[in-house]
Amino acid sequence: MGEYEKAMRPEDLTRLFVERSNAGDAAGVAALYEENAVMAYPPGQVTVGREAIRELWEKVLAHRPQFTPEPPLPTLAADGIALTATPPKDGAGARAQVVRQQPDGSWLRLLDQPEFQRPDGEG
């Protein structure tokens, strides 16, 4: 995975995601995920595995989107597993991730739901 900065707190993952995405670094984004992580993206689909996540982000980042940091909601953690979430600045739904602490003390994403929509479809 190279010499990327590690997320030493669950909340670090969102910051690192924004930094690496804005730099166009798909491999760096994928390095934030466990080898067999599952991402619910693109909408209505599931992407499984770090390599597939890297390939997906290569396509997304080719369009040079710019991400803005979103303040995290309080993290819920127990026994090396944590739930992180952010409310999108555009007010559309929510974002949530299940992250797991690694043997070296760092954290990686295991499950990523980057876009929740309200059941009524209004956001």
Side-chain angles (χ1 to χ4, degrees):
M1 280 195 317
E3 295 296 321
Y4 289 106
E5 176 185 349
K6 294 184 178 186
M8 299 312 292
R9 300 175 314 130
E11 299 83 2
D12 292 340
L13 287 162
T14 298
R15 174 183 57 81
L16 293 170
F17 172 86
V18 170
E19 289 173 3
R20 294 174 190 183
S21 293
N22 288 344
D25 186 355
V29 169
L32 300 172
Y33 292 83
E34 287 194 358
E35 190 63 41
N36 295 311
V38 177
M39 172 185 255
Y41 193 83
Q45 299 179 38
V46 175
T47 302
V48 180
R50 183 183 292 143
E51 181 60 20
I53 291 169
R54 183 194 59 74
E55 290 172 6
L56 169 70
W57 281 101
E58 280 183 357
K59 293 174 189 167
V60 171
L61 297 177
H63 302 285
R64 303 300 294 167
Q66 288 297 296
F67 294 86
T68 303
E70 298 166 339
L73 295 170
T75 298
L76 181 62
D79 297 325
I81 301 286
L83 175 65
T84 62
T86 57
K89 289 188 177 210
D90 63 9
R95 307 183 203 291
Q97 299 82 32
V98 174
V99 302
R100 182 164 34 200
Q101 194 166 31
Q102 305 300 299
D104 67 358
S106 67
W107 293 81
L108 293 175
R109 289 177 170 174
L110 175 62
L111 302 172
D112 187 0
Q113 179 80 47
E115 294 186 4
F116 277 106
Q117 295 298 317
R118 290 177 22 181
D120 61 12
E122 292 184 17

